Amino acid sequence: MEAPHSPAAEAEAAATTATATARFTLHAPEQTQELGRALAKLLRPGDLVLMTGELGAGKTTMTRGLGEGLGVRGAVTSPTFVIARVHPSLTGGPALVHVDAYRLGGGLDEMEDLDLDVSLPDSVVVVEWGEGKVEELSEDRLHVVIHRVVGSTDDERRVVTLSGYGARWADADLAGLGLGLDLG
């Protein structure tokens, strides 16, 4: 006999299992930025985006594309030394809150001073190096993992994996983001 599923168990399973995924191979930083612009069309206030990848993988480049696609004010640059930047919308859309958690060692407790939970409902919050630190902010989140060729090489290739978690992303066409992009 199968055990009954509780709402709490179903919510926990949804929070740890991707409801939508897509993978793209990119050959230049411009393509990473272009994918960010395309992804911005799917984003809305309340979305939490976690960016994961080694140093130089393209997390900030992708976020720059998100900012362009969202139509926000200010140059999107790495917030490593200020930890967080808010880019207000120029188009009436959501602001972009760009966080770099690289220097933050702890989890959500250490990040509470940033008031991300206050910003989240009205903004798109992007957290670089946020894996294992901010997932508790929302059951619905998008995880962007960028892998690059490492070592002494001039290969600009990146493999970007988008994984949506929670009901928010269940019907999202993440794979369709590549349509119309110059990914050749």
Side-chain angles (χ1 to χ4, degrees), residues 8-53:
E10 289 177 15
E12 183 178 334
T16 58
T17 305
T19 56
T21 59
R23 179 171 286 170
F24 304 94
T25 300
L26 310 175
H27 300 280
E30 296 80 18
Q31 290 178 330
T32 304
Q33 198 164 334
E34 186 177 354
L35 183 59
R37 283 191 297 273
L39 178 57
K41 294 174 185 173
L42 291 181
L43 297 177
R44 59 186 186 213
D47 282 342
L48 174 64
V49 180
L50 280 68
M51 295 272 185
T52 300

Side-chain angles (χ1 to χ4, degrees), residues 148-154:
R148 67 179 175 93
V149 177
V150 294
S152 60
T153 178
D154 59 0

